[in-house]
Amino acid sequence: DAMQASLVGVSLATEAGVAAYVPLQHDADGAPEQLPLEWVLQQLQPLLNDPSHTVVGQNLKYDMIVLARHGIKVAPMDDTMVLSYVLDGTSHGHGMDELAELHLDYKPISFKDVCGSGKTQITFDQVPLDKALDYAAEDAEVTGRLYRQFKPRIAQEHMSSVYETLERGLVPVLSDMERTGIIVDATFLKELSSDFEKRTADIAGDIYKLAGHEFNIGSPKQLGEVLFDEMGIQGGKKTKTGAYGTGADVLEGLAAQGHDLPRRVLDWRQLSKLRSTYTDALVKQINPETKRIHTSYAQAIASTGRLSSTDPNLQNIPIRTEEGRKIRQAFVPEKGHVLLSADYSQIELRLLAHVAGIETLRQAFRDGQDIHAMTASEVFGIPVEGMEASVRSRAKAINFGIIYGISPFGLARQLAVPQGEAKKYIESYFEKFPGIRDYMETTKTFARENGYVQTIFGRKCHTPGIQDKNPARRNFSERAAINAPLQGAAADIIKRAMIRIPKALDEAGLSDRVKMLLQVHDELVFEAPEGDTDATIACIKAVMEGAAQPLLDLKVPLIVEAGTGDSWAEAH
């Protein structure tokens, strides 16, 4: 955990084949007297913050957080992990050991070799200095060699814009956000956990009644036997292990057919997961020093450029369920402040209208029309005035389903209608908006020929499996290829905004009081003093809504909805 890790030593390399390790706090038997930590940091500060040369690191965000806790700023910087990600996307991993073997044909010393593993693993301050020297100095030297390979490729492969305007500038922004963290109300979470525990037990009771006996609901094997052997429900398929498949898709299909037990198991699973992942886990993740939780953002994982977060994962809290909203209630501001949420409205649909050249959709967005009602009117041939909410909801499912390349089968299941009816909806949609089908076919062809698709900002999203002989895998890759340029462009836009926001807040005289805390999909969350909310909203909306410019002049407006409150749930 970068927010709690002690600084044990620093490794440096300035040229290939030469590296050094400066031990600072080794505590192993026989460790010699070491240079004073504060004195070393004083010598490093001018070196690491000198505009005349660049500091290069592998996953440098981590090091920047540790050094910032000791008052050291790192800039300008380059990151080999991020460079590799921009160049090769998800065609392989971007850990240093994997990159060294792949690009340098060299196998570095592993952390396990130095510190052991499992119960016998030691912390780095216990490692003897000769071992620590070889491991740490090698880290810096290998990173330097990778950098000298990757940096020229960025220009050669025309990825400079993606690296310079989307990824490199994001590293210090994410570092600051992770360090700031967010407050959670531990008392509220504990009460919520008790409530979830009671409700989980009640649901388990319902499941046992429906099954006729108690069994381990968390065991896929036992659940499969209850559903398909004992209750005789049709459609059970055994996996390679010999047990029945009981994944969410299987249970959702059975629930849609009207079976009660699978529906209750889905409810039980959701509550159990929310409790273990959030209500119980968040309390344990409160930093004892800052009294906040500090999520860690992964920048080099998703093929579309989206950020993901871990410890805790804040990207997967359900948005539309009551339980998800309750968990968001636990995220609160410090006294005298509010949480402020700024969220892009229907950004992927707007980007679809732009890239597919659909003038009717573009005009509807320009006019501020209700896009789902307009779609319902076009597809179902009914007037917008007096339209029932259920009809609009159906059109909404089609709009978002189309973005993800939904099949008639998938849409039929989502809308609970016959597959033939769902097929007619999709065909009618393509007739009304022919540009969408053209976009899809062009995108799939490009992916098959190149092995990747691109966002409007030039990011490459790799599409493994697009040539797969297995139709199911190929279709999955085709759907991913259709969505990737839209989801990827949305990720690019919010990254452009995040990079610009610190400067904009500074120019508005707000940077000392307003902090950017979280990024979740198309949403940014801030903490602001109660008296600064109007000025903060105006500043953030201006940046986010203009984030595509000056590089791109979108044919549709980007709209940001902002709200404030005494919790994340209230603000969103």
Side-chain angles (χ1 to χ4, degrees), residues 147-166:
Y147 177 69
R148 284 182 278 276
Q149 275 208 20
F150 295 159
K151 190 68 173 179
R153 280 181 59 198
I154 288 285
Q156 290 160 11
E157 297 176 28
H158 310 291
M159 297 304 288
S160 297
S161 177
V162 174
Y163 181 65
E164 298 296 342
T165 67
L166 294 173

Side-chain angles (χ1 to χ4, degrees), residues 172-200:
V173 173
L174 293 176
S175 166
D176 287 346
M177 286 168 67
E178 289 182 22
R179 279 181 59 227
T180 303
I182 188 168
I183 300 169
V184 291
D185 184 335
T187 306
F188 179 82
L189 281 170
K190 284 170 186 168
E191 288 168 0
L192 198 54
S193 195
S194 298
D195 175 51
F196 284 0
E197 185 178 18
K198 182 182 177 302
R199 285 170 60 196
T200 306

Side-chain angles (χ1 to χ4, degrees), residues 222-475:
Q222 289 185 35
L223 176 61
E225 287 166 359
V226 167
L227 288 170
F228 303 113
D229 291 341
E230 295 176 22
M231 298 180 76
I233 294 174
Q234 297 300 303
K237 287 182 184 169
K238 291 197 173 181
T239 62
K240 286 175 186 171
T241 62
Y244 288 105
T246 56
D249 54 338
V250 174
L251 297 185
E252 280 163 10
L254 296 176
Q257 291 167 26
H259 297 290
D260 286 338
L261 193 143
R263 183 174 53 80
R264 297 306 275 155
V265 171
L266 286 167
D267 294 340
W268 182 89
R269 278 185 185 174
Q270 189 200 35
L271 273 182
S272 301
K273 188 175 181 195
L274 290 177
R275 190 170 158 233
S276 62
T277 311
Y278 295 112
T279 56
D280 288 353
L282 287 174
V283 175
K284 294 172 189 161
Q285 287 166 325
I286 296 171
N287 183 297
E289 196 178 313
T290 67
K291 304 293 186 275
R292 292 177 173 238
I293 59 166
H294 302 266
T295 190
S296 176
Y297 286 100
Q299 197 177 346
I301 288 181
S303 62
T304 57
R306 266 193 171 185
L307 295 170
S308 58
S309 75
T310 54
D311 304 318
N313 175 356
L314 300 180
Q315 311 275 355
N316 282 356
I317 302 173
I319 295 172
R320 291 177 183 85
T321 66
E322 186 192 343
E323 288 79 13
R325 284 190 289 274
K326 281 182 178 174
I327 289 168
R328 279 178 160 76
Q329 279 178 38
F331 291 77
V332 294
E334 68 172 85
K335 206 170 165 48
H337 289 63
V338 293
L339 289 186
L340 189 159
S341 164
D343 200 351
Y344 281 111
S345 169
Q346 300 174 335
I347 188 168
E348 289 183 27
L349 273 177
R350 291 170 189 271
L351 290 166
L352 176 65
H354 172 83
V355 300
I358 308 153
E359 195 49 43
T360 48
L361 271 183
R362 288 178 177 180
Q363 195 57 49
F365 279 122
R366 288 186 207 118
D367 296 342
Q369 285 185 39
D370 180 335
I371 217 72
H372 302 311
M374 188 209 84
T375 299
S377 178
E378 292 279 346
V379 173
F380 306 133
I382 54 174
V384 171
E385 292 76 28
M387 183 181 290
E388 290 180 16
S390 61
V391 176
R392 182 187 178 275
S393 177
R394 208 166 261 208
K396 184 177 180 180
I398 297 170
N399 269 332
F400 287 113
I402 293 292
I403 292 175
Y404 289 92
I406 201 163
S407 65
F409 173 76
L411 186 62
R413 204 161 84 175
Q414 207 168 322
L415 297 179
V417 298
Q419 199 168 322
E421 194 176 327
K423 188 167 183 275
K424 279 183 192 162
Y425 290 160
I426 292 173
E427 284 169 357
S428 174
Y429 192 94
F430 286 143
E431 278 171 28
K432 297 294 179 185
F433 308 118
I436 294 180
R437 181 165 289 189
D438 295 343
Y439 159 74
M440 289 178 165
E441 293 308 318
T442 305
T443 304
K444 286 192 285 190
T445 302
F446 185 93
R448 278 192 286 269
E449 289 172 358
N450 297 279
Y452 65 86
V453 289
Q454 277 185 296
T455 71
I456 46 179
F457 296 93
R459 180 189 301 281
K460 289 179 182 174
C461 308
H462 290 260
T463 54
I466 198 79
Q467 303 277 18
D468 204 297
K469 288 185 171 62
N470 179 305
R473 284 198 289 267
R474 188 174 64 249
N475 290 340

Side-chain angles (χ1 to χ4, degrees), residues 2-3 59-69 72-74 77 79 167-181 294-299 307 498 502 516-517:
M3 284 300 294
N59 187 20
L60 192 57
K61 171 165 66 75
Y62 182 95
D63 307 69
M64 287 169 77
I65 293 169
V66 175
L67 289 166
R69 286 174 43 228
I72 304 287
K73 186 175 165 62
V74 178
M77 50 68 63
D79 191 319
E167 297 297 348
R168 177 159 75 165
L170 196 64
V171 176
V173 173
L174 293 176
S175 166
D176 287 346
M177 286 168 67
E178 289 182 22
R179 279 181 59 227
T180 303
H294 302 266
T295 190
S296 176
Y297 286 100
Q299 197 177 346
L307 295 170
M498 290 168 75
M516 184 157 52
L517 309 183

